Amino acid sequence: MDGPVNSKVGPTTSAADADDLALAKLLDKPKLKIERKRSFDERSFSELTINVRQLESYDSLYSPGYRSSGIGTPSSLGGEVFDPHPMVGEAWEALRRSMVYFNQQPVGTIAAYDHASEEVLNYDQVFVRDFVPSALAFLMNNEPEIVKNFLLKTLHLQGWEKRVDRFKLGEGAMPASFKVLHNPTRKTDTLIADFGESAIGRVAPVDSGFWWIILLRAYTKHTGDISLAETDDCQRGMRLILALCLSEGFDTFPTLLCADGCSMIDRRMGIYGYPIEIQALFFMSLRCALLMLKHDAEGKEFVERIVKRLHALSYHMRSYFWLDFQQLNDIYRYKTEEYSHTAVNKFNVIPDSIPDWVFDFMPCRGGYFIGNVSPARMDFRWFALGNLMAILSSLATPEQSTAIMDLMEERWEELIGEVPLKITYPAIESHEWRIVTGCDPKNTRWSYHNGGSWPVLLWLLTAACIKTGRPQIARRAIELAESRLQKDSWPEYYDGTLGRYVGKQARKFQTWSIAGYLVSKMLLEDPSHLGMISLEEDKAMKPLIKRSASWTCAKPNKEDM
Ligand code: GLC
């Protein structure tokens, strides 16, 4: 242990038990601002035919979290339940240093403030996905202005015409990142944005639009300011994003078909197809949009489509992406080449394609959503973001959420290691690495996206721990992070099977590593913040499970024949 560690957050002390009690109380505490916000909620749900009211209880659209503590003073420095760790102050300073201004107004945070690094690449830009933990930290500290400005700036960028060579991108696409150019002589600021047309690999960021919707709801819930989400511009922005992913095509699955590198893992890593990372974000953003879309002439149609999609998506994910000991055993014994709707092995997965590692990795207790499912292809790798977001969005049933946490406990060394948290497990190596990554030197085994450890994921872990009532897991992980992050200058990622080494090409002072830590601390300190990024289970979406019952085809009428 390097820095002085707060005795109150030790996993085995009785003070920790006291914290658990305080935590339980906080989770139970009455929501104070429900009254004045009720009308918006009621309007959001009133016209639905399916019981979507249960998708969300009143108190999970809004929280009482908006306190008027001194702006600029991290509220976590004045907490009564938790003493601040000395790192918290430095983290706030570093986060503020990363702020980006447009016409003197804060509009985001740059990806990394690493002056020692020779190559800036695009780390001096504001990335949409990277800004999310910064935004949550600012909201939790009652500084919503920067979040509002960011939401409006990116919405404005969405309106740009986007092209790659002679091809025009869909209207709804949100940028991966943007940059503010200051002209000191003219005293003007201009924006440049990247929608994938400059990105390495030229892939559009599918996750950006989803994060934008999720953040709009977090802002709305935390501040109680419904006026932003209700503006014509925000309503239109949401509809445009949704139009891109709800459009009908040749799909036979409700999951979203994606190119490799279209999310946080933005280089070729074999996640093309139906990656869990995107499906969980898709699900979360559909649920968030449902809470915010107006039921006017244009919004109503989207609401209906979202409700249908959510039902199909949760069924599909919970049935076909879920893997536990029993399910693995079933797949191992699958028959192949089954034709027609009585098939058990619907996607014709050949048991020989199950990798050896998964048999040892799978504990008796626990389970997870696998990386990808498509014809004859199951990617059995573990992906942290997708699984944690599945818990937060309630894509995972309560039983599945518990099982995911069980798995993380059972496989602590593999998934958390010495510095939390593995982005994916296991790494791909040798011939497979050559084929899958295209020999990517940045994604060698146990480095970067290929089994590297990313401190930013700590906030998602902490939130999931609180939601499943297991804060002690988050405390253990945060303690590990506290023993390294500051000392190592807040790296972007760590390498090695245990995440012990600062990543080969990791930036220092990576903003989302800093913000992710702060969000984790503030979540533990005041678990009522959880409502900003978590949704309760929808009882109307109760699962299945009869594996061969998904095919329905209406018989034609005699007259039609
Ligand atoms: C890298 C990461 C990506 C992140 C960006 C900025 O490209 O893969 O997820 O958004 O850096 O930090």
Side-chain angles (χ1 to χ4, degrees):
M1 210 53 59
D2 294 303
V5 173
N6 176 3
S7 60
K8 284 188 180 169
V9 293
T12 50
T13 59
S14 57
D17 298 338
D19 284 352
D20 279 349
L21 272 178
L23 202 67
K25 272 201 201 132
L26 280 165
L27 281 169
D28 279 353
K29 81 181 177 193
K31 305 291 176 186
L32 303 173
K33 288 204 168 178
I34 292 168
E35 273 314 310
R36 74 182 175 82
K37 293 157 189 160
R38 186 160 290 178
S39 61
F40 176 71
D41 249 13
E42 276 173 359
R43 197 175 52 242
S44 304
F45 288 120
S46 57
E47 291 160 63
L48 300 181
T49 46
I50 306 179
N51 189 10
V52 290
R53 183 174 285 273
Q54 284 170 319
L55 281 169
E56 177 72 311
S57 57
Y58 284 135
D59 67 357
S60 58
L61 181 56
Y62 298 109
S63 80
Y66 190 73
R67 295 160 298 170
S68 54
S69 77
I71 298 290
T73 316
S75 55
S76 42
L77 288 178
E80 281 170 20
V81 182
F82 289 69
D83 286 339
H85 190 282
M87 268 167 69
V88 169
E90 193 200 282
W92 272 108
E93 267 172 40
L95 181 61
R96 292 197 193 290
R97 263 203 310 273
S98 72
M99 282 163 76
V100 170
Y101 294 82
F102 182 88
N103 291 340
Q104 269 104 51
Q105 290 200 314
V107 289
T109 49
I110 53 168
Y113 195 82
D114 185 0
H115 288 311
S117 167
E118 300 115 40
E119 282 179 316
V120 176
L121 294 176
N122 49 359
Y123 282 87
D124 60 348
Q125 305 215 0
V126 180
F127 277 74
V128 170
R129 70 176 76 89
D130 292 42
F131 182 66
V132 172
S134 298
L136 296 176
F138 286 121
L139 286 174
M140 289 176 188
N141 202 43
N142 297 321
E143 297 177 62
E145 233 15 72
I146 184 172
V147 182
K148 184 175 183 176
N149 295 339
F150 168 88
L151 287 165
L152 289 171
K153 261 297 153 264
T154 40
L155 187 61
H156 168 76
L157 294 173
Q158 185 195 38
W160 285 11
E161 195 187 273
K162 297 148 278 211
R163 277 178 188 277
V164 175
D165 297 332
R166 295 180 187 179
F167 184 67
K168 204 169 142 215
L169 269 67
E171 254 193 294
M174 279 281 184
S177 61
F178 67 86
K179 186 174 173 163
V180 180
L181 300 172
H182 301 286
N183 183 327
T185 17
R186 289 192 181 173
K187 294 203 168 40
T188 51
D189 287 344
T190 41
L191 288 171
I192 54 162
D194 176 16
F195 294 86
E197 78 278 23
S198 313
I200 295 167
R202 299 288 184 270
V203 185
V206 178
D207 63 338
S208 283
F210 296 153
W211 281 123
W212 187 87
I213 292 175
I214 294 166
L215 193 56
L216 180 62
R217 178 203 166 250
Y219 171 88
T220 309
K221 179 168 171 66
H222 186 74
T223 60
D225 171 17
I226 58 170
S227 61
L228 180 65
E230 289 205 326
T231 56
D232 288 347
D233 286 348
C234 280
Q235 293 284 318
R236 182 163 184 276
M238 272 191 278
R239 286 196 307 267
L240 285 177
I241 295 168
L242 296 167
L244 284 179
C245 43
L246 293 174
S247 60
E248 284 168 9
F250 287 101
D251 304 303
T252 42
F253 310 137
T255 35
L256 200 62
L257 185 59
C258 301
D260 218 339
C262 66
S263 66
M264 175 181 181
I265 298 176
D266 55 2
R267 301 165 76 92
R268 196 173 137 191
M269 266 295 294
I271 61 159
Y272 65 90
Y274 304 92
I276 178 66
E277 311 277 77
I278 289 294
Q279 311 313 321
L281 285 172
F282 180 32
F283 185 85
M284 179 66 159
S285 60
L286 286 182
R287 290 196 65 192
C288 289
L290 196 54
L291 294 165
M292 296 184 293
L293 277 176
K294 286 186 184 171
H295 290 215
D296 51 17
E298 289 152 312
K300 214 171 157 214
E301 184 213 323
F302 280 92
V303 168
E304 279 159 17
R305 285 162 77 187
I306 290 174
V307 171
K308 285 191 193 136
R309 191 64 172 256
L310 279 171
H311 278 266
L313 187 58
S314 58
Y315 178 93
H316 185 93
M317 297 299 298
R318 290 168 182 180
S319 322
Y320 307 127
F321 276 64
W322 184 251
L323 192 76
D324 55 18
F325 185 83
Q326 185 56 52
Q327 180 64 9
L328 178 59
N329 210 153
D330 291 350
I331 298 171
Y332 174 66
R333 290 166 51 80
Y334 265 170
K335 292 190 183 62
T336 56
E337 316 295 328
E338 294 173 299
Y339 180 72
S340 140
H341 19 271
T342 52
V344 175
N345 180 4
K346 291 197 179 111
F347 308 115
N348 200 33
V349 173
I350 320 287
D352 264 357
S353 70
I354 307 173
D356 289 342
W357 65 265
V358 78
F359 292 105
D360 296 329
F361 177 72
M362 182 59 77
C364 295
R365 195 176 70 109
Y368 65 105
F369 290 102
I370 62 170
N372 222 306
V373 177
S374 59
R377 175 177 178 239
M378 282 179 126
D379 178 349
F380 289 90
R381 280 175 296 173
W382 153 268
F383 289 86
L385 188 147
N387 275 279
L388 297 171
M389 189 46 81
I391 293 178
L392 294 177
S393 62
S394 291
L395 170 59
T397 63
E399 296 74 26
Q400 288 173 333
S401 297
T402 303
I404 293 170
M405 298 312 296
D406 287 343
L407 177 95
M408 296 191 80
E409 252 182 349
E410 297 275 333
R411 294 290 173 255
W412 186 267
E413 209 168 78
E414 290 88 340
L415 303 180
I416 311 283
E418 287 189 20
V419 186
L421 178 71
K422 281 263 171 288
I423 190 169
T424 170
Y425 179 90
I428 39 181
E429 318 186 21
S430 314
H431 183 61
E432 198 187 4
W433 165 78
R434 259 174 239 123
I435 304 294
V436 173
T437 73
C439 301
D440 188 344
K442 207 167 172 183
N443 272 329
T444 49
R445 62 182 180 159
W446 305 113
S447 182
Y448 202 49
H449 302 136
N450 188 9
S453 298
W454 290 67
V456 59
L457 299 170
L458 199 58
W459 79 264
L460 285 157
L461 174 70
T462 306
C465 286
I466 294 174
K467 181 160 185 185
T468 51
R470 322 250 295 246
Q472 68 283 3
I473 296 184
R475 279 204 202 92
R476 258 178 90 187
I478 291 173
E479 253 191 56
L480 289 171
E482 282 174 339
S483 72
R484 294 291 302 269
L485 290 190
Q486 187 179 28
K487 193 177 83 168
D488 297 337
S489 307
W490 308 94
E492 180 186 13
Y493 63 96
Y494 287 80
D495 285 357
T497 45
L498 294 173
R500 182 186 281 174
Y501 300 92
V502 173
K504 208 170 16 185
Q505 295 187 40
R507 305 286 135 157
K508 300 289 180 72
F509 295 98
Q510 181 80 20
T511 305
W512 67 1
S513 300
I514 297 164
Y517 168 70
L518 286 173
V519 171
S520 305
K521 293 292 273 188
M522 286 189 280
L523 272 169
L524 269 186
E525 183 187 351
D526 181 357
S528 73
H529 289 314
L530 179 68
M532 253 197 266
I533 31 104
S534 166
L535 297 170
E536 287 312 309
E537 196 203 9
D538 167 28
K539 302 277 185 318
M541 282 197 263
K542 269 279 171 227
L544 39 144
I545 270 190
K546 236 175 128 222
R547 291 201 179 276
S548 52
S550 69
W551 173 262
T552 46
C553 178
K555 287 232 162 70
N557 288 327
K558 267 220 173 99
E559 294 88 83
D560 295 333
M561 291 166 69

